[in-house]
Amino acid sequence: MKRPLALALSVLIATSVVAQTESASPKPKSGRHSSSAPVSKTLEDMKDAISAQQQQIQQLQQQIQSRDQAIQQLQQQVTQAQSTATQAQQAAAANSQSTGSADQIGALQHDVADLKTVSGNTVNELQETQKQVNGLESPLAIHYKGVSITPGGFLAGETYYRNRATGGEATAFNSIPFAGSSQANLSEFYGSGRQSRISLLVQGKAGNVNGTGYYEADFLSAGVTSNNNQTNSYTLRQRQAYAQAALANGWTFTGGQMWTLITETKKGVDNRTEATPMTIDPNYVVGFTFARQYGFRVSKNFNNKFWLAGSIENAQINTPATTGTLPNYLIGSAGLGGGLYNSTANYAFNQLPDFVFKGVWEPGFGHYEVFGIISEFRDRVFPNATLKTPSAAGAYNSSTTSLGFGANARWAMMAKHVDFGVHFFGGNGIGRYGASGLPDLTLNPNGTVGKIRNYQALATLEYHSTKWDIYTYGGGEYEARRWSFNDSGKPEGYGSPLFANYGCSAETLPGAGGFSPGSLANCAGNTRNLIEGTAGLWYKFYNGPKGRVQMGTQFSYLVRNTWVGYASATKPVILGDQPTANDSIWATSFRYYLP
């Protein structure tokens, strides 16, 4: 369209130019010659006029091009305006309809609210599902019918080296050999995975009650066929198995096999917070007070600052000290196989359980405990058992009550990197609660129970960091004397200076077969005290959501001191002999803990 319009304009302009030229030139009169300018000048003027018109044509073309661009922009704006107008009309129509339908608006709002609720519930369910999925990763937990089940424990590969042989994996502190024992001249090495542990924690909530069930076991027990020769087939051993109900008002009830309430805890009286030594040795360290046995415990939490607790626990008696005693008493018997007890172990006929009480205070700095125990010992006495003609006539039951008291204190310092603790426990008849397993009692000459006083003490210092755990412990246990003369004028009991000790340094021949060390003669060797110093460390290669891998080492030095006794058969009063024994223990461990 541009080109025809430009052409028309050109013709129009040319026509006007010619017309103007003709009108400007005078017409000749008829019959005469013209007197105007020559033709060449006229042509020159026409060229100039055409050139000017061409410039005007170019300007007009530029104007037309600019106009076309403006028209296109206007067309786009119109299209946008029409679209906006259409949307405005639709919105107006929708607004008009909604304005006229209040009921429909309410229904729609209700539907929208329902959709939001469903969406919110779906989001919550997805979040809970995500939490459960995350829970399956770290920590490893299984959610089943409203309870969470958390497996735990560790796998261990450990070694033990002793300078003096004892014939055991765990250190029997009160059995380290005297110089006369053949074992004192032999060292020993054992490697084992028996301390590997498995546990299962079940937790759930019903109303205002938090329920907990816990089971824990290792392989530190021996069956009839267990040995180290080929299969190392040691049996699974129950360590803990208890149920617990914790109420929102601070009352907690726990029943089953667990650590005794006497054992120190790190938080209140809570189970699974026991302050156990970090040693590799399964028997821990001299001076540590513990037992894992049946108990029913009731505790009350007062604002996480003060706790009171009491428990009834299974009573038992360590093998009594029986040097020189007469056969005029009965305390218990070997286990009855039909009663599911071990026929090679002794079981006391307990009259009552042990009663334990504890108070714990956590004022903000430190953890403090005081506790006590009441135990009842009983035996059956046979007063006519020592006559020339022994008889059970006149037998009767005799019982006695014993008490023990203790205290613990622990402080976390340096941003909880350092733990320092002290422990003390003392009383009569409490030897079995110590790591050394010293006797609880002996027998009086008339066959009644004679309680032995015992003291246990332990100091702990531990350093904890992301990669390292370093510890040192110093502990001791003391066993007092208790002895007298029997009707025959001979000493009996525990720790008498009239017992013979001169044979504790004289080696004896072994029994046949090469696996029967000779028994020492003339060596009462009643322990007066045991002292142990222990230091060790753990290095954690990895500690994260996949569990923990760590390696540790421990060194211990143990000394056993005895009560003085006869130094010779000929001059017992003038010379006394107080034998001692010592042992060095080095242990290593490599463990993987479940997350």
Side-chain angles (χ1 to χ4, degrees):
M1 180 177 179
K2 297 176 183 178
R3 296 183 65 84
L5 181 59
L7 183 59
L9 290 172
S10 300
V11 173
L12 180 60
I13 294 170
T15 304
S16 63
V17 170
V18 173
Q20 290 176 2
T21 303
E22 289 179 350
S23 62
S25 300
K27 294 183 181 180
K29 296 180 179 178
S30 60
R32 290 187 182 182
H33 292 286
S34 175
S35 62
S36 60
V39 175
S40 59
K41 187 175 186 307
T42 301
L43 292 175
E44 187 67 28
D45 292 338
M46 292 181 64
K47 287 180 180 180
D48 294 337
I50 292 172
S51 178
Q53 294 296 326
Q54 286 178 345
Q55 291 180 357
Q56 292 178 0
I57 290 171
Q58 289 179 355
Q59 292 176 356
L60 289 171
Q61 286 178 343
Q62 292 176 355
Q63 293 175 2
I64 291 170
Q65 186 176 3
S66 298
R67 185 200 64 183
D68 289 342
Q69 292 177 352
I71 290 172
Q72 289 179 357
Q73 292 177 358
L74 288 172
Q75 287 177 345
Q76 292 177 356
Q77 292 176 0
V78 169
T79 302
Q80 292 177 356
Q82 289 176 347
S83 176
T84 303
T86 303
Q87 293 176 359
Q89 290 175 355
Q90 293 176 351
N95 186 42
S96 175
Q97 291 176 0
S98 62
T99 302
S101 305
D103 295 339
Q104 294 179 0
I105 291 173
L108 288 173
Q109 290 177 342
H110 182 72
D111 291 341
V112 169
D114 289 343
L115 288 173
K116 288 182 178 180
T117 300
V118 172
S119 176
N121 291 338
T122 303
V123 170
N124 291 335
E125 290 176 0
L126 288 173
Q127 290 175 346
E128 290 299 324
T129 302
Q130 185 65 36
K131 289 179 182 179
Q132 293 176 4
V133 171
N134 293 337
L136 291 173
E137 290 294 332
S138 180
L140 183 63
I142 302 170
H143 298 273
Y144 176 72
K145 292 187 177 181
V147 300
S148 62
I149 304 172
T150 306
F154 59 83
L155 304 175
E158 296 169 337
T159 64
Y160 307 89
Y161 174 85
R162 293 184 185 84
N163 193 40
R164 305 185 192 281
T166 62
E169 183 172 328
T171 303
F173 302 118
N174 196 36
S175 298
I176 59 173
F178 294 113
S181 299
S182 298
Q183 302 97 298
N185 299 287
L186 297 169
S187 62
E188 65 182 1
F189 171 87
Y190 296 113
S192 170
R194 297 173 62 200
Q195 201 166 182
S196 297
R197 190 176 303 171
I198 57 174
S199 66
L200 196 66
L201 175 66
V202 181
Q203 295 173 301
K205 186 173 183 179
N208 64 343
V209 179
N210 288 319
T212 300
Y214 185 70
Y215 177 79
E216 183 181 89
D218 61 23
F219 298 88
L220 289 171
S221 65
V224 177
T225 61
S226 299
N227 60 69
N228 277 8
N229 296 341
Q230 188 176 50
T231 59
N232 291 265
S233 51
Y234 291 94
T235 53
L236 188 68
R237 177 183 73 158
Q238 176 177 294
R239 288 171 58 90
Q240 297 190 75
Y242 64 82
Q244 184 179 85
L247 307 184
N249 59 8
W251 286 96
T252 300
F253 304 87
T254 310
Q257 179 165 312
M258 57 188 141
W259 292 86
T260 174
L261 185 59
I262 294 174
T263 299
E264 180 186 1
T265 49
K266 294 182 178 181
K267 179 62 179 177
V269 292
D270 295 349
N271 296 79
R272 305 193 315 280
T273 69
E274 290 81 14
T276 55
M278 303 180 70
T279 58
I280 301 170
D281 194 321
N283 277 353
Y284 304 105
V285 60
V286 171
F288 177 55
T289 300
F290 79 98
R292 290 188 301 271
Q293 59 194 13
Y294 166 81
F296 185 80
R297 181 184 304 178
V298 179
S299 66
K300 180 67 169 70
N301 180 350
F302 299 90
N303 299 318
N304 288 323
K305 293 291 185 181
F306 185 70
W307 290 259
L308 288 176
S311 67
I312 57 172
E313 302 184 9
N314 190 58
Q316 197 50 243
I317 298 174
N318 273 355
T319 301
T322 57
T323 303
T325 57
L326 302 174
N328 57 352
Y329 61 92
L330 177 68
I331 293 178
S333 72
L336 180 63
L340 304 180
Y341 271 163
N342 191 342
S343 60
T344 63
N346 293 328
Y347 296 84
F349 298 144
N350 304 311
Q351 182 177 5
L352 293 170
D354 287 346
F355 298 91
V356 183
F357 306 93
K358 178 183 277 191
V360 178
W361 183 41
E362 293 181 1
F365 178 71
H367 171 97
Y368 309 94
E369 301 181 358
V370 292
F371 56 90
I373 183 172
I374 303 173
S375 297
E376 189 80 5
F377 296 113
R378 179 188 61 180
D379 71 339
R380 187 160 180 81
V381 179
F382 297 85
N384 296 320
T386 58
L387 299 178
K388 291 184 178 180
T389 304
S391 169
Y396 65 94
N397 295 341
S398 174
S399 61
T400 183
T401 302
S402 67
L403 304 175
F405 300 94
N408 302 314
R410 183 172 294 270
W411 299 272
M413 301 172 286
M414 298 177 62
K416 298 185 178 180
H417 287 296
V418 176
D419 282 343
F420 175 69
V422 291
H423 161 72
F424 174 79
F425 183 38
N428 296 324
I430 62 170
R432 80 177 184 95
Y433 283 98
S436 300
L438 294 171
D440 302 299
L441 51 87
T442 184
L443 280 305
N444 297 319
N446 61 0
T448 60
V449 170
K451 299 168 291 187
I452 300 177
R453 179 157 296 180
N454 178 276
Y455 299 109
Q456 304 162 20
L458 180 67
T460 70
L461 181 62
E462 301 172 349
Y463 170 79
H464 308 285
S465 69
T466 304
K467 289 290 185 181
W468 294 92
D469 289 313
I470 303 173
Y471 59 86
T472 180
Y473 305 120
E477 297 184 32
Y478 169 85
E479 192 86 342
R481 287 174 167 174
R482 186 182 179 105
W483 68 279
S484 58
F485 292 102
N486 59 29
D487 293 342
S488 302
K490 295 181 179 180
E492 69 169 59
Y494 188 83
S496 171
L498 302 179
F499 291 158
N501 276 343
Y502 61 86
C504 295
S505 57
E507 189 169 358
T508 58
L509 291 172
F515 283 89
S516 299
S519 299
L520 296 179
N522 300 309
C523 179
N526 293 159
T527 298
R528 178 168 56 93
N529 60 54
L530 288 154
I531 302 171
E532 182 183 11
T534 298
L537 60 84
W538 293 97
Y539 176 70
K540 290 165 276 191
F541 296 95
Y542 171 80
N543 189 10
K546 304 301 181 183
R548 183 169 80 247
V549 180
Q550 66 183 42
M551 176 177 283
T553 186
Q554 171 197 345
F555 178 79
S556 302
Y557 185 73
L558 177 66
V559 177
R560 177 186 176 192
N561 296 311
T562 63
W563 285 108
V564 66
Y566 283 162
S568 70
T570 56
K571 298 179 180 180
V573 178
I574 299 175
L575 298 176
D577 193 3
Q578 196 169 5
T580 64
N582 62 75
D583 208 347
S584 299
I585 305 103
W586 179 44
T588 67
S589 177
F590 185 75
R591 294 180 180 180
Y592 167 70
Y593 284 79
L594 289 176

